Coordinates of all heavy atoms in Angstrom, one line a residue:
M1010 N 97.7 -57.5 11.2 CA 97.7 -57.3 12.6 C 96.8 -58.4 13.3 O 95.8 -58.7 12.7 CB 97.2 -55.9 13.0 CG 97.0 -55.7 14.5 SD 96.3 -54.1 14.8 CE 96.6 -54.0 16.5
K1011 N 97.2 -58.9 14.3 CA 96.4 -59.9 15.1 C 95.9 -59.2 16.3 O 96.5 -58.4 16.9 CB 97.3 -61.1 15.4 CG 97.7 -61.9 14.3 CD 98.3 -63.2 14.7 CE 98.6 -64.1 13.5 NZ 98.9 -65.4 13.9
T1012 N 94.7 -59.6 16.6 CA 94.0 -59.1 17.8 C 93.1 -60.2 18.4 O 92.8 -61.2 17.7 CB 93.2 -57.8 17.6 OG1 92.8 -57.3 18.8 CG2 92.0 -58.1 16.7
T1013 N 92.8 -60.1 19.7 CA 91.9 -61.0 20.3 C 90.7 -60.3 20.8 O 90.8 -59.2 21.4 CB 92.6 -61.7 21.5 OG1 93.8 -62.3 21.1 CG2 91.7 -62.7 22.2
I1014 N 89.5 -60.8 20.4 CA 88.3 -60.2 20.9 C 87.4 -61.3 21.6 O 87.5 -62.4 21.2 CB 87.5 -59.5 19.8 CG1 87.1 -60.5 18.7 CG2 88.2 -58.3 19.3 CD1 86.2 -59.9 17.6
D1015 N 86.7 -60.9 22.6 CA 85.8 -61.8 23.3 C 84.4 -61.7 22.7 O 83.7 -60.7 22.8 CB 85.8 -61.4 24.8 CG 85.2 -62.4 25.7 OD1 85.2 -63.6 25.3 OD2 84.8 -62.1 26.8
I1016 N 84.0 -62.8 22.1 CA 82.6 -62.9 21.5 C 81.8 -64.0 22.2 O 82.3 -65.0 22.6 CB 82.8 -63.3 20.0 CG1 83.6 -62.3 19.2 CG2 81.4 -63.5 19.3 CD1 84.0 -62.7 17.8
P1017 N 80.6 -63.7 22.5 CA 79.7 -64.7 23.1 C 79.7 -66.0 22.3 O 79.6 -66.0 21.1 CB 78.3 -64.0 23.1 CG 78.6 -62.6 23.1 CD 79.8 -62.4 22.2
T1018 N 79.8 -67.1 23.0 CA 79.9 -68.4 22.4 C 78.8 -68.7 21.4 O 79.1 -69.1 20.2 CB 79.9 -69.5 23.5 OG1 81.0 -69.2 24.4 CG2 80.1 -70.9 22.9
E1019 N 77.6 -68.4 21.8 CA 76.5 -68.7 20.8 C 76.5 -67.9 19.6 O 76.3 -68.3 18.5 CB 75.1 -68.5 21.6 CG 73.9 -68.8 20.7 CD 73.9 -70.2 20.2 OE1 74.4 -71.2 20.8 OE2 73.4 -70.4 19.1
L1020 N 76.9 -66.6 19.7 CA 77.1 -65.7 18.6 C 78.2 -66.3 17.6 O 78.0 -66.4 16.4 CB 77.4 -64.3 19.0 CG 77.6 -63.3 17.9 CD1 76.4 -63.2 16.9 CD2 78.0 -62.0 18.4
Y1021 N 79.3 -66.6 18.2 CA 80.4 -67.1 17.4 C 80.0 -68.4 16.7 O 80.3 -68.6 15.5 CB 81.6 -67.4 18.3 CG 82.8 -67.9 17.4 CD1 83.5 -67.1 16.6 CD2 83.1 -69.3 17.4 CE1 84.6 -67.5 15.8 CE2 84.2 -69.7 16.6 CZ 84.9 -68.9 15.9 OH 85.9 -69.3 15.1
R1022 N 79.3 -69.3 17.3 CA 78.8 -70.5 16.7 C 77.9 -70.2 15.5 O 78.0 -70.9 14.4 CB 78.1 -71.4 17.7 CG 79.0 -72.1 18.7 CD 78.2 -72.9 19.6 NE 79.1 -73.5 20.6 CZ 78.8 -74.0 21.8 NH1 77.5 -73.9 22.2 NH2 79.7 -74.5 22.6
R1023 N 77.0 -69.3 15.7 CA 76.1 -68.9 14.5 C 76.9 -68.3 13.4 O 76.7 -68.6 12.2 CB 75.1 -68.0 15.1 CG 74.1 -68.7 16.0 CD 73.1 -67.8 16.7 NE 72.5 -66.8 15.8 CZ 72.1 -65.6 16.2 NH1 72.2 -65.2 17.4 NH2 71.5 -64.8 15.3
V1024 N 77.9 -67.4 13.7 CA 78.7 -66.8 12.7 C 79.5 -67.9 11.9 O 79.6 -67.9 10.7 CB 79.6 -65.7 13.3 CG1 80.7 -65.3 12.3 CG2 78.8 -64.6 13.8
K1025 N 80.1 -68.8 12.7 CA 80.9 -69.8 12.1 C 80.1 -70.7 11.2 O 80.5 -71.1 10.1 CB 81.6 -70.7 13.2 CG 82.6 -71.6 12.7 CD 83.4 -72.2 13.8 CE 84.5 -73.2 13.3 NZ 85.3 -73.7 14.3
A1026 N 78.9 -71.1 11.6 CA 78.0 -71.9 10.8 C 77.6 -71.3 9.5 O 77.6 -71.9 8.5 CB 76.8 -72.3 11.6
K1027 N 77.2 -70.0 9.6 CA 76.8 -69.3 8.4 C 78.0 -69.1 7.5 O 77.9 -69.2 6.3 CB 76.2 -67.9 8.8 CG 75.6 -67.2 7.6 CD 74.8 -66.0 7.9 CE 74.2 -65.4 6.7 NZ 73.3 -64.3 7.0
S1028 N 79.2 -68.8 8.1 CA 80.4 -68.6 7.2 C 80.6 -69.9 6.5 O 81.0 -69.9 5.3 CB 81.6 -68.3 8.1 OG 81.4 -67.1 8.8
A1029 N 80.5 -71.1 7.1 CA 80.7 -72.3 6.5 C 79.7 -72.6 5.4 O 80.1 -73.0 4.3 CB 80.7 -73.5 7.5
L1030 N 78.5 -72.2 5.6 CA 77.5 -72.4 4.5 C 77.8 -71.5 3.3 O 77.5 -71.9 2.2 CB 76.1 -72.0 5.1 CG 75.5 -73.0 6.0 CD1 74.2 -72.4 6.6 CD2 75.2 -74.3 5.4
L1031 N 78.4 -70.4 3.5 CA 78.8 -69.5 2.4 C 80.2 -69.8 1.9 O 80.6 -69.2 0.9 CB 78.8 -68.0 2.9 CG 77.4 -67.5 3.4 CD1 77.6 -66.1 4.0 CD2 76.5 -67.4 2.2
G1032 N 80.9 -70.8 2.5 CA 82.2 -71.1 2.0 C 83.3 -70.1 2.3 O 84.2 -69.9 1.6
K1033 N 83.1 -69.4 3.4 CA 84.0 -68.4 3.8 C 84.6 -68.7 5.2 O 84.0 -69.5 6.0 CB 83.4 -67.0 3.9 CG 82.9 -66.5 2.6 CD 82.3 -65.1 2.8 CE 81.8 -64.6 1.4 NZ 81.4 -63.2 1.5
R1034 N 85.7 -68.2 5.5 CA 86.3 -68.3 6.9 C 85.8 -67.1 7.7 O 85.4 -66.1 7.2 CB 87.8 -68.2 6.8 CG 88.4 -69.4 6.0 CD 89.9 -69.4 6.0 NE 90.5 -68.1 6.3 CZ 91.7 -67.7 5.9 NH1 92.5 -68.5 5.2 NH2 92.2 -66.5 6.2
V1035 N 85.7 -67.4 9.0 CA 85.2 -66.3 9.9 C 86.1 -65.1 9.8 O 85.6 -63.9 9.8 CB 85.3 -66.8 11.4 CG1 84.9 -65.7 12.3 CG2 84.3 -68.0 11.5
R1036 N 87.4 -65.2 9.5 CA 88.3 -64.1 9.3 C 87.8 -63.2 8.2 O 87.8 -62.0 8.2 CB 89.7 -64.6 9.1 CG 90.7 -63.5 8.9 CD 92.1 -64.1 8.6 NE 93.1 -63.0 8.5 CZ 93.3 -62.3 7.4 NH1 92.6 -62.5 6.3 NH2 94.3 -61.4 7.4
E1037 N 87.4 -63.9 7.0 CA 87.0 -63.1 5.9 C 85.7 -62.4 6.2 O 85.6 -61.2 5.8 CB 86.7 -64.1 4.7 CG 87.9 -64.8 4.1 CD 87.5 -65.8 3.1 OE1 87.4 -65.4 1.9 OE2 87.4 -67.0 3.5
V1038 N 84.8 -63.0 6.8 CA 83.5 -62.4 7.2 C 83.8 -61.2 8.1 O 83.2 -60.1 7.9 CB 82.6 -63.4 7.8 CG1 81.3 -62.7 8.4 CG2 82.2 -64.5 6.9
T1039 N 84.7 -61.4 9.0 CA 85.0 -60.3 10.0 C 85.5 -59.1 9.2 O 85.1 -57.9 9.5 CB 86.0 -60.8 11.0 OG1 85.4 -61.9 11.7 CG2 86.3 -59.7 12.1
I1040 N 86.5 -59.3 8.3 CA 87.1 -58.2 7.6 C 86.0 -57.5 6.7 O 86.0 -56.3 6.7 CB 88.3 -58.7 6.7 CG1 89.4 -59.2 7.6 CG2 88.7 -57.7 5.7 CD1 90.5 -59.9 6.9
E1041 N 85.2 -58.3 6.1 CA 84.1 -57.7 5.2 C 83.2 -56.8 6.1 O 82.8 -55.7 5.7 CB 83.3 -58.8 4.6 CG 84.0 -59.5 3.4 CD 83.1 -60.7 2.9 OE1 81.9 -60.8 3.2 OE2 83.7 -61.5 2.1
L1042 N 82.9 -57.3 7.3 CA 82.0 -56.5 8.1 C 82.6 -55.2 8.6 O 82.0 -54.2 8.6 CB 81.6 -57.3 9.4 CG 80.6 -58.5 9.1 CD1 80.4 -59.4 10.3 CD2 79.2 -57.9 8.6
Y1043 N 83.9 -55.3 9.0 CA 84.6 -54.1 9.3 C 84.7 -53.1 8.2 O 84.4 -51.9 8.3 CB 86.1 -54.4 9.8 CG 86.2 -54.9 11.2 CD1 87.1 -55.9 11.5 CD2 85.4 -54.4 12.2 CE1 87.3 -56.4 12.8 CE2 85.6 -54.9 13.5 CZ 86.5 -55.8 13.8 OH 86.7 -56.3 15.1
E1044 N 85.0 -53.6 7.0 CA 85.1 -52.7 5.8 C 83.7 -52.1 5.5 O 83.6 -50.9 5.2 CB 85.6 -53.5 4.6 CG 87.1 -53.8 4.7 CD 87.6 -54.7 3.6 OE1 86.8 -55.3 2.9 OE2 88.9 -54.8 3.5
S1045 N 82.7 -52.9 5.6 CA 81.3 -52.4 5.3 C 80.9 -51.3 6.3 O 80.4 -50.3 5.9 CB 80.4 -53.6 5.4 OG 79.0 -53.2 5.3
W1046 N 81.2 -51.6 7.6 CA 80.9 -50.7 8.6 C 81.6 -49.3 8.4 O 81.0 -48.3 8.6 CB 81.3 -51.3 10.0 CG 80.9 -50.4 11.1 CD1 79.7 -50.1 11.6 CD2 81.8 -49.7 12.0 NE1 79.8 -49.3 12.7 CE2 81.1 -49.0 13.0 CE3 83.2 -49.6 12.0 CZ2 81.7 -48.3 13.9 CZ3 83.8 -48.8 13.0 CH2 83.0 -48.2 13.9
L1047 N 82.9 -49.4 8.0 CA 83.6 -48.1 7.8 C 83.1 -47.4 6.6 O 83.1 -46.2 6.6 CB 85.1 -48.5 7.7 CG 85.8 -48.9 9.0 CD1 87.2 -49.4 8.7 CD2 85.8 -47.7 10.0
T1048 N 82.8 -48.1 5.5 CA 82.3 -47.4 4.3 C 80.9 -46.8 4.4 O 80.6 -45.7 3.9 CB 82.4 -48.2 3.0 OG1 82.0 -49.5 3.4 CG2 83.8 -48.3 2.4
E1049 N 80.1 -47.5 5.2 CA 78.7 -47.1 5.3 C 78.6 -45.9 6.3 O 77.8 -45.1 6.3 CB 77.8 -48.2 5.8 CG 77.6 -49.2 4.7 CD 76.7 -50.4 5.2 OE1 76.2 -50.3 6.4 OE2 76.6 -51.3 4.5
G1050 N 79.5 -45.9 7.3 CA 79.5 -44.8 8.3 C 78.6 -45.2 9.4 O 77.8 -46.1 9.4
I1051 N 78.7 -44.3 10.4 CA 77.9 -44.5 11.6 C 76.4 -44.3 11.3 O 75.5 -45.0 11.9 CB 78.4 -43.6 12.7 CG1 79.8 -44.1 13.1 CG2 77.4 -43.7 13.9 CD1 80.4 -43.1 14.1
A1052 N 76.0 -43.4 10.5 CA 74.6 -43.1 10.2 C 73.9 -44.3 9.6 O 72.8 -44.6 10.1 CB 74.5 -41.9 9.3
A1053 N 74.5 -45.0 8.7 CA 73.9 -46.1 8.1 C 73.7 -47.2 9.1 O 72.7 -48.0 9.1 CB 74.7 -46.6 6.9
S1054 N 74.6 -47.4 10.1 CA 74.5 -48.5 11.0 C 73.5 -48.2 12.1 O 73.1 -49.0 12.9 CB 75.9 -48.7 11.7 OG 76.3 -47.6 12.5
S1055 N 73.0 -46.9 12.2 CA 72.0 -46.6 13.2 C 70.6 -46.5 12.6 O 69.7 -46.0 13.2 CB 72.4 -45.3 13.9 OG 72.3 -44.2 12.9
Q1056 N 70.4 -47.1 11.4 CA 69.1 -47.2 10.8 C 68.1 -48.0 11.7 O 68.5 -49.0 12.3 CB 69.1 -47.8 9.4 CG 69.9 -47.0 8.4 CD 69.2 -45.7 8.1 OE1 68.0 -45.6 8.0 NE2 70.0 -44.7 7.8
R1057 N 66.9 -47.5 11.8 CA 66.0 -48.2 12.7 C 64.9 -48.9 11.9 O 64.5 -48.4 10.8 CB 65.3 -47.1 13.6 CG 66.2 -46.5 14.6 CD 65.4 -45.5 15.4 NE 66.4 -44.9 16.3 CZ 66.1 -43.7 16.9 NH1 65.0 -43.1 16.7 NH2 67.0 -43.1 17.7
S1058 N 64.4 -49.9 12.5 CA 63.3 -50.7 11.8 C 62.0 -49.9 12.1 O 62.0 -49.0 13.0 CB 63.2 -52.1 12.4 OG 62.7 -52.0 13.8
P1059 N 60.9 -50.1 11.4 CA 59.7 -49.5 11.7 C 59.2 -49.7 13.1 O 58.7 -48.8 13.7 CB 58.7 -50.1 10.7 CG 59.5 -50.6 9.5 CD 60.8 -51.0 10.2
E1060 N 59.4 -50.9 13.6 CA 59.0 -51.2 15.0 C 59.8 -50.3 16.0 O 59.2 -49.8 17.0 CB 59.2 -52.6 15.3 CG 58.3 -53.6 14.6 CD 58.8 -53.9 13.2 OE1 60.0 -53.5 12.8 OE2 58.1 -54.5 12.4
E1061 N 61.1 -50.1 15.7 CA 61.9 -49.3 16.6 C 61.5 -47.8 16.5 O 61.5 -47.1 17.6 CB 63.4 -49.4 16.2 CG 64.0 -50.8 16.5 CD 65.4 -51.0 15.9 OE1 65.6 -50.5 14.8 OE2 66.2 -51.6 16.6
W1062 N 61.1 -47.3 15.3 CA 60.6 -46.0 15.2 C 59.3 -45.8 16.0 O 59.1 -44.8 16.8 CB 60.3 -45.6 13.8 CG 61.5 -45.2 13.0 CD1 62.2 -45.8 12.0 CD2 62.2 -43.9 13.2 NE1 63.2 -45.1 11.6 CE2 63.3 -43.9 12.3 CE3 62.0 -42.8 14.0 CZ2 64.2 -42.9 12.2 CZ3 63.0 -41.8 14.0 CH2 64.0 -41.8 13.0
V1063 N 58.4 -46.8 16.0 CA 57.1 -46.7 16.7 C 57.4 -46.7 18.2 O 56.9 -45.8 18.9 CB 56.2 -47.8 16.3 CG1 55.0 -47.9 17.3 CG2 55.7 -47.7 14.9
E1064 N 58.3 -47.5 18.7 CA 58.7 -47.6 20.1 C 59.3 -46.2 20.5 O 59.0 -45.8 21.6 CB 59.7 -48.7 20.3 CG 59.0 -50.1 20.3 CD 60.1 -51.2 20.4 OE1 61.3 -50.9 20.6 OE2 59.7 -52.4 20.2
E1065 N 60.1 -45.6 19.7 CA 60.7 -44.3 20.0 C 59.6 -43.3 20.1 O 59.7 -42.4 21.0 CB 61.8 -44.0 19.0 CG 62.5 -42.7 19.3 CD 63.3 -42.6 20.5 OE1 63.5 -43.7 21.2 OE2 63.8 -41.5 20.9
W1066 N 58.7 -43.2 19.2 CA 57.6 -42.2 19.2 C 56.8 -42.4 20.4 O 56.4 -41.4 21.1 CB 56.7 -42.4 17.9 CG 57.3 -41.6 16.8 CD1 58.0 -42.1 15.7 CD2 57.2 -40.2 16.5 NE1 58.4 -41.1 14.9 CE2 57.9 -40.0 15.3 CE3 56.6 -39.2 17.2 CZ2 58.0 -38.7 14.8 CZ3 56.7 -37.9 16.6 CH2 57.4 -37.7 15.5
I1067 N 56.4 -43.6 20.8 CA 55.7 -43.9 22.0 C 56.4 -43.4 23.2 O 55.9 -42.7 24.1 CB 55.3 -45.4 22.1 CG1 54.3 -45.7 21.0 CG2 54.7 -45.7 23.5 CD1 54.0 -47.2 20.9
R1068 N 57.7 -43.7 23.3 CA 58.5 -43.3 24.4 C 58.6 -41.7 24.5 O 58.4 -41.2 25.6 CB 60.0 -43.8 24.3 CG 60.8 -43.5 25.5 CD 62.3 -43.8 25.3 NE 62.9 -42.9 24.3 CZ 63.2 -41.6 24.5 NH1 63.0 -41.1 25.6 NH2 63.8 -40.9 23.5
L1069 N 58.7 -41.1 23.4 CA 58.8 -39.6 23.4 C 57.4 -39.0 23.8 O 57.3 -38.0 24.5 CB 59.2 -39.1 22.0 CG 60.6 -39.3 21.6 CD1 60.8 -38.9 20.1 CD2 61.5 -38.5 22.5
G1070 N 56.3 -39.6 23.3 CA 55.0 -39.2 23.7 C 54.8 -39.3 25.2 O 54.2 -38.4 25.8
E1071 N 55.1 -40.4 25.8 CA 55.0 -40.6 27.2 C 55.8 -39.6 28.0 O 55.4 -39.1 29.0 CB 55.3 -42.1 27.6 CG 54.3 -43.1 27.1 CD 54.7 -44.5 27.2 OE1 56.0 -44.8 27.5 OE2 53.9 -45.4 27.1
E1072 N 57.0 -39.4 27.5 CA 57.9 -38.4 28.2 C 57.3 -37.0 28.1 O 57.4 -36.3 29.1 CB 59.3 -38.5 27.5 CG 60.3 -37.5 28.1 CD 61.7 -37.6 27.4 OE1 62.0 -38.6 26.8 OE2 62.3 -36.5 27.3
T1073 N 56.8 -36.7 27.0 CA 56.1 -35.4 26.8 C 55.0 -35.2 27.8 O 54.8 -34.2 28.4 CB 55.7 -35.2 25.3 OG1 56.8 -35.3 24.5 CG2 55.0 -33.8 25.1
L1074 N 54.1 -36.3 27.9 CA 53.0 -36.2 28.8 C 53.4 -36.0 30.2 O 52.8 -35.3 31.0 CB 52.1 -37.5 28.6 CG 51.3 -37.5 27.4 CD1 50.6 -38.9 27.3 CD2 50.2 -36.4 27.4
R1075 N 54.5 -36.7 30.6 CA 55.0 -36.6 32.0 C 55.5 -35.2 32.3 O 55.4 -34.7 33.4 CB 56.2 -37.6 32.2 CG 55.8 -39.0 32.6 CD 56.9 -39.8 33.1 NE 58.1 -39.8 32.2 CZ 58.3 -40.7 31.2 NH1 57.4 -41.5 30.9 NH2 59.4 -40.6 30.5
K1076 N 56.0 -34.5 31.3 CA 56.6 -33.2 31.5 C 55.5 -32.1 31.3 O 55.8 -30.9 31.6 CB 57.7 -32.9 30.5 CG 58.9 -33.8 30.8 CD 60.0 -33.5 29.7 CE 61.3 -34.3 30.0 NZ 62.3 -34.1 29.0
A1077 N 54.4 -32.4 30.8 CA 53.3 -31.4 30.5 C 52.7 -30.9 31.8 O 52.7 -31.6 32.8 CB 52.2 -32.1 29.6
P1078 N 52.3 -29.6 31.7 CA 51.7 -29.1 32.9 C 50.4 -29.8 33.2 O 49.7 -30.3 32.3 CB 51.4 -27.6 32.6 CG 51.5 -27.5 31.1 CD 52.4 -28.7 30.6
P1079 N 49.9 -29.8 34.4 CA 48.7 -30.5 34.8 C 47.5 -29.8 34.1 O 47.5 -28.6 33.9 CB 48.6 -30.4 36.3 CG 49.5 -29.3 36.7 CD 50.5 -29.2 35.6
V1080 N 46.5 -30.6 33.7 CA 45.3 -30.1 33.1 C 44.4 -29.5 34.2 O 44.2 -30.2 35.3 CB 44.5 -31.2 32.4 CG1 43.2 -30.7 31.8 CG2 45.4 -31.8 31.3
P1081 N 43.9 -28.3 34.1 CA 43.1 -27.7 35.1 C 41.8 -28.5 35.3 O 41.2 -29.0 34.4 CB 42.8 -26.3 34.6 CG 43.2 -26.3 33.2 CD 44.1 -27.4 32.9
R1082 N 41.5 -28.7 36.6 CA 40.2 -29.4 36.9 C 39.0 -28.5 36.6 O 39.1 -27.3 36.8 CB 40.2 -29.9 38.3 CG 41.3 -30.8 38.6 CD 41.2 -31.3 40.0 NE 39.9 -32.0 40.2 CZ 39.8 -33.3 40.3 NH1 40.8 -34.1 40.2 NH2 38.6 -33.9 40.5
R1083 N 38.0 -29.2 36.2 CA 36.7 -28.4 35.9 C 36.2 -27.9 37.3 O 36.3 -28.6 38.3 CB 35.7 -29.3 35.2 CG 36.2 -29.7 33.9 CD 35.2 -30.7 33.3 NE 33.9 -30.0 33.1 CZ 33.3 -29.9 31.9 NH1 33.8 -30.4 30.9 NH2 32.1 -29.2 31.9
Q1084 N 35.6 -26.8 37.2 CA 35.0 -26.2 38.4 C 33.8 -27.0 38.9 O 33.4 -27.0 40.0 CB 34.6 -24.7 38.2 CG 35.8 -23.8 37.9 CD 36.7 -23.8 39.1 OE1 36.3 -23.8 40.2 NE2 38.0 -23.9 38.8
R1085 N 33.1 -27.6 37.9 CA 31.9 -28.3 38.2 C 32.1 -29.8 37.9 O 32.8 -30.2 37.0 CB 30.8 -27.8 37.3 CG 29.9 -26.8 37.8 CD 28.8 -26.6 36.9 NE 27.7 -26.1 37.7 CZ 26.7 -25.5 37.2 NH1 26.5 -25.3 35.9 NH2 25.7 -25.1 38.0
S1086 N 31.4 -30.6 38.7 CA 31.4 -32.0 38.4 C 29.9 -32.4 38.1 O 29.0 -31.6 38.4 CB 32.0 -32.8 39.5 OG 31.3 -32.6 40.7
W1087 N 29.7 -33.5 37.5 CA 28.4 -33.9 37.1 C 28.1 -35.3 37.8 O 29.0 -36.1 38.1 CB 28.3 -34.1 35.6 CG 28.5 -32.8 34.9 CD1 29.6 -32.1 34.7 CD2 27.4 -32.0 34.4 NE1 29.4 -31.0 34.0 CE2 28.0 -30.9 33.8 CE3 26.1 -32.1 34.3 CZ2 27.3 -29.9 33.2 CZ3 25.3 -31.2 33.7 CH2 25.9 -30.0 33.1
R1088 N 26.8 -35.5 38.1 CA 26.5 -36.8 38.6 C 25.3 -37.3 37.8 O 24.5 -36.6 37.2 CB 26.0 -36.7 40.1 CG 24.7 -35.9 40.3 CD 24.3 -35.9 41.7 NE 23.2 -35.1 41.8 CZ 22.3 -35.2 42.8 NH1 22.5 -36.0 43.8 NH2 21.3 -34.4 42.8
L1089 N 25.3 -38.6 37.7 CA 24.3 -39.3 36.8 C 23.0 -39.4 37.6 O 23.1 -39.7 38.8 CB 24.8 -40.6 36.4 CG 26.1 -40.6 35.5 CD1 26.5 -42.0 35.2 CD2 25.9 -39.9 34.3
I1090 N 21.9 -39.3 36.9 CA 20.6 -39.4 37.6 C 20.0 -40.7 37.1 O 20.1 -41.1 35.9 CB 19.7 -38.3 37.2 CG1 20.3 -37.0 37.7 CG2 18.3 -38.4 37.8 CD1 19.6 -35.7 37.2
G1091 N 19.4 -41.5 38.0 CA 18.8 -42.7 37.6 C 19.9 -43.7 37.2 O 20.9 -43.9 37.9
D1092 N 19.6 -44.4 36.1 CA 20.5 -45.4 35.7 C 21.8 -44.8 35.0 O 22.7 -45.5 34.7 CB 19.9 -46.5 34.8 CG 19.3 -45.9 33.5 OD1 19.6 -44.7 33.2 OD2 18.6 -46.6 32.8
G1093 N 21.7 -43.5 34.8 CA 22.9 -42.8 34.2 C 23.0 -42.8 32.7 O 23.9 -42.1 32.2
W1094 N 22.0 -43.4 32.1 CA 22.1 -43.4 30.6 C 21.4 -42.2 29.9 O 21.7 -41.9 28.8 CB 21.5 -44.7 30.1 CG 22.4 -45.9 30.5 CD1 22.1 -46.8 31.4 CD2 23.6 -46.2 29.9 NE1 23.1 -47.7 31.5 CE2 24.1 -47.4 30.6 CE3 24.4 -45.7 28.9 CZ2 25.3 -48.0 30.3 CZ3 25.6 -46.3 28.6 CH2 26.0 -47.5 29.3
D1095 N 20.5 -41.6 30.7 CA 19.7 -40.6 30.0 C 19.9 -39.2 30.5 O 19.7 -38.2 29.8 CB 18.2 -41.0 30.0 CG 17.7 -41.2 31.5 OD1 18.6 -41.2 32.4 OD2 16.5 -41.3 31.6
R1096 N 20.3 -39.0 31.8 CA 20.5 -37.6 32.3 C 21.6 -37.5 33.2 O 22.1 -38.4 33.9 CB 19.2 -37.3 33.0 CG 18.0 -37.2 32.2 CD 16.8 -36.6 32.9 NE 16.6 -37.2 34.2 CZ 15.9 -36.7 35.2 NH1 15.4 -35.5 35.1 NH2 15.8 -37.2 36.4
A1097 N 22.1 -36.3 33.3 CA 23.2 -35.9 34.3 C 22.9 -34.5 34.7 O 22.2 -33.7 34.0 CB 24.5 -36.0 33.6
E1098 N 23.2 -34.2 35.9 CA 23.0 -32.8 36.4 C 24.3 -32.3 37.1 O 25.0 -33.1 37.7 CB 21.8 -32.8 37.4 CG 22.0 -33.5 38.7 CD 20.8 -33.4 39.6 OE1 19.7 -33.1 39.1 OE2 21.0 -33.7 40.8
P1099 N 24.5 -31.0 37.1 CA 25.6 -30.5 37.9 C 25.4 -30.7 39.4 O 24.3 -30.6 39.9 CB 25.7 -29.0 37.5 CG 24.4 -28.7 36.9 CD 23.7 -30.0 36.5
C1100 N 26.5 -30.8 40.1 CA 26.4 -30.9 41.6 C 27.3 -29.9 42.2 O 28.1 -29.2 41.6 CB 26.6 -32.3 42.1 SG 28.0 -33.2 41.4

């Protein structure tokens, strides 16, 4: 079966160059990639790098903080006395 797909020029150039280095035609590489993708399944193609996992954890943490109820304010506040390094008193 023949089909036409629109590939970004720079991506195609890189694929073509690497294919040539490996002594393969772009068609062969494309077929290998399709077969690999089908045999590995969607779960394998969605594997994340450690960096992606960290980014996802940070995003989830920030989302959780946004949804968290507000922290109750303390009834008392404190003020520093003098230079503030040695004493504080309630106000």
